[in-house]
């Protein structure tokens, strides 16, 4: 006995009329008739008394109806519970690289959390590469991150804006007054860089590689504040996504003659269920991007 047969049988018993039951089920009358004949054949029971178009439920039919009714009630309850779980996921796990976190974190932990105290936010500050790996492994619901669309075919990318990566140095550096620079001019420049967990590292390596050089990196760090501190103290300069340098850092950003841009946006796992509160966070981040950066999409 299938669930469809159970539902058809329940409706026929309620209406005591095949045609009305079929109309309520939005199927054809022959479909219900054939289903009831098959049900009687499978169970070996006479479920209805038939008098022309009118049918009444037999004693055996009434007993079966009682059992089927309780099963259908449990299925309805289960459907409602599943729907409730989907609508009240109540926890959103986000990865947010440090370079974007300095802009977005104060808003999402302030404005958004005040507006939606029912949603628990778990925010992981990590590099873009690690963020995408964690989303791909379903350890996180989404990432607001820099990315390259060829990182994995198992991820879904929603671009919010183009993120420019600039040369960053201290105000007393000889290049500090320049309006733009070429990579060739920076061949010998000592650099302190975010490590390979960040896409900006890949961009820099590729840019130097195109002129047949390697960057002169004196130190790699996974921490944005460490990189900024080392630049401030004159250990070296760096390359960072433009949003990550704040006025209070007292650092100078200089664009490149051949600009370095990287995609920035929301990344989720393909084929994975997206809960309502995750969609709410994503909608907020899209709106916030437009307000703060004039987002591209």
């Amino acid at each position: 006995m299938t669930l469809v047969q159970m539902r058809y049988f329940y409706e026929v018993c309620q209406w005591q009329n095949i045609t009305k039951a079929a109309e309520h089920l939005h199927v054809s009358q022959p479909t219900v008739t054939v289903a009831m004949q098959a049900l009687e054949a499978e169970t070996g029971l006479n479920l209805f008394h038939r008098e022309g178009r009118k049918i009444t439920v037999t004693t055996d039919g009434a007993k079966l109806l009682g059992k089927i009714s309780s099963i259908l009630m449990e299925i309805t309850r289960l459907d409602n519970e599943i729907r409730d779980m989907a609508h009240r996921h109540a926890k959103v796990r986000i990865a947010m690289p440090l370079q974007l976190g300095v802009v977005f974190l104060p808003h999402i932990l302030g404005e958004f959390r005040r507006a939606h105290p029912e949603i628990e936010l778990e925010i992981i500050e990590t590099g873009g590469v690690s963020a995408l790996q964690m989303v791909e492994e379903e350890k996180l619901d989404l990432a607001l991150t820099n990315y390259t669309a060829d990182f994995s075919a198992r991820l879904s990318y929603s671009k919010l804006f183009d993120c420019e990566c600039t040369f960053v140095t201290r105000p007393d550096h000889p290049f500090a007054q320049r309006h733009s620079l070429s990579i060739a001019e920076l061949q010998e420049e000592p650099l302190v860089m975010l490590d390979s967990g960040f896409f900006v590292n890949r961009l820099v390596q590729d840019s130097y590689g195109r002129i047949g050089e390697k960057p002169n990196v004196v130190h790699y760090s996974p921490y944005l504040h460490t990189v900024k501190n080392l630049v401030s103290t004159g250990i070296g300069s760096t390359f960072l996504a433009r949003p990550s340098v704040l006025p209070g850092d007292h650092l100078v950003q200089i664009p490149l003659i051949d600009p370095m841009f990287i995609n920035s946006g929301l990344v989720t796992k393909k084929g994975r269920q997206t809960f309502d509160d995750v969609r709410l966070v994503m909608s907020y981040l899209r709106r916030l991007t437009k307000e703060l950066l004039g987002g591209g999409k």
Side-chain angles (χ1 to χ4, degrees):
M1 184 186 307
T2 67
L3 182 59
V4 170
Q5 286 176 315
M6 291 184 193
R7 286 178 171 148
Y8 285 8
F9 176 69
Y10 177 84
E11 292 298 332
V12 171
C13 292
Q14 296 304 304
W15 292 97
Q16 295 192 45
N17 184 287
I18 295 286
T19 301
K20 289 182 178 180
E23 290 174 355
H24 187 74
L25 291 164
H26 304 291
V27 297
S28 67
Q29 180 268 330
T31 298
V32 178
T33 298
V34 170
M36 293 304 94
Q37 291 171 346
L39 185 59
E40 287 184 315
E42 290 174 17
T43 60
L45 301 173
N46 291 313
L47 302 175
F48 305 103
H49 294 299
R50 295 173 175 82
E51 298 178 9
R53 294 185 178 180
K54 183 179 179 181
I55 61 174
T56 56
V57 183
T58 65
T59 301
D60 287 340
K63 290 179 181 179
L64 182 61
L65 176 62
K67 296 183 181 297
I68 284 177
S69 296
S70 61
I71 292 171
L72 293 177
M73 286 178 62
E74 286 300 315
I75 290 172
T76 299
R77 187 177 296 113
L78 176 61
D79 286 342
N80 291 335
E81 288 177 359
I82 291 172
R83 192 173 298 110
D84 287 344
M85 284 190 286
H87 284 276
R88 296 198 304 270
H89 185 45
K91 183 174 184 178
V92 179
R93 301 165 299 167
I94 313 171
M96 194 176 298
L98 311 174
Q99 296 184 88
L100 298 180
V102 293
V103 175
F104 289 91
L105 271 178
H107 295 275
I108 196 167
L109 292 177
E111 179 187 54
F112 181 85
R113 195 152 68 172
R114 285 193 298 271
H116 300 282
E118 77 283 1
I119 298 178
E120 179 184 351
L121 295 172
E122 180 182 343
I123 299 176
I124 308 298
E125 295 182 80
T126 186
V129 175
S130 297
L132 298 191
Q133 288 172 340
M134 294 176 77
V135 172
E136 187 172 20
E137 294 167 3
E138 300 190 21
K139 295 177 179 177
L140 300 171
D141 296 301
L142 74 147
L144 172 63
T145 183
N146 299 323
Y147 66 86
T148 56
D150 61 353
F151 182 84
S152 173
R154 294 189 289 179
L155 296 174
S156 178
Y157 306 92
S158 177
K159 183 177 176 180
L160 297 181
F161 59 97
D162 287 311
C163 190
E164 183 183 11
C165 297
T166 62
F167 177 73
V168 179
T169 193
R170 62 191 187 279
D172 62 347
H173 190 282
F175 288 148
Q177 302 306 314
R178 291 284 299 273
H179 296 294
S180 62
L181 289 165
S182 68
I183 290 295
E185 292 176 281
L186 299 171
Q187 289 182 51
E188 304 300 325
E189 181 69 23
L191 299 174
V192 288
M193 291 290 299
L194 290 170
D195 66 22
S196 59
F198 295 81
F199 282 106
V200 66
N201 186 298
R202 295 186 179 189
L203 282 182
V204 171
Q205 299 288 347
D206 289 346
S207 293
Y208 276 80
R210 282 194 289 272
I211 64 169
E213 298 290 339
K214 290 185 178 180
N216 179 24
V217 181
V218 298
H219 183 71
Y220 289 100
S221 175
Y223 304 111
L224 181 60
H225 64 86
T226 299
V227 170
K228 288 182 178 181
N229 286 340
L230 291 174
V231 173
S232 295
T233 55
I235 301 302
S237 300
T238 191
F239 291 90
L240 292 173
R242 184 174 286 280
S244 64
V245 180
L246 305 177
D249 293 329
H250 304 295
L251 297 174
V252 177
Q253 286 186 288
I254 305 169
L256 297 171
I257 293 172
D258 294 319
M260 289 193 299
F261 287 98
I262 191 167
N263 300 321
S264 296
L266 300 171
V267 183
T268 55
K269 177 72 178 290
K270 280 184 180 177
R272 189 172 187 269
Q273 176 67 34
T274 303
F275 294 101
D276 283 356
D277 46 7
V278 175
R279 290 193 187 95
L280 186 64
V281 172
M282 293 173 71
S283 295
Y284 172 79
L285 290 172
R286 289 190 180 98
R287 177 175 61 80
L288 184 62
T289 298
K290 291 180 180 179
E291 292 176 0
L292 297 178
L293 305 172
K297 270 196 170 183

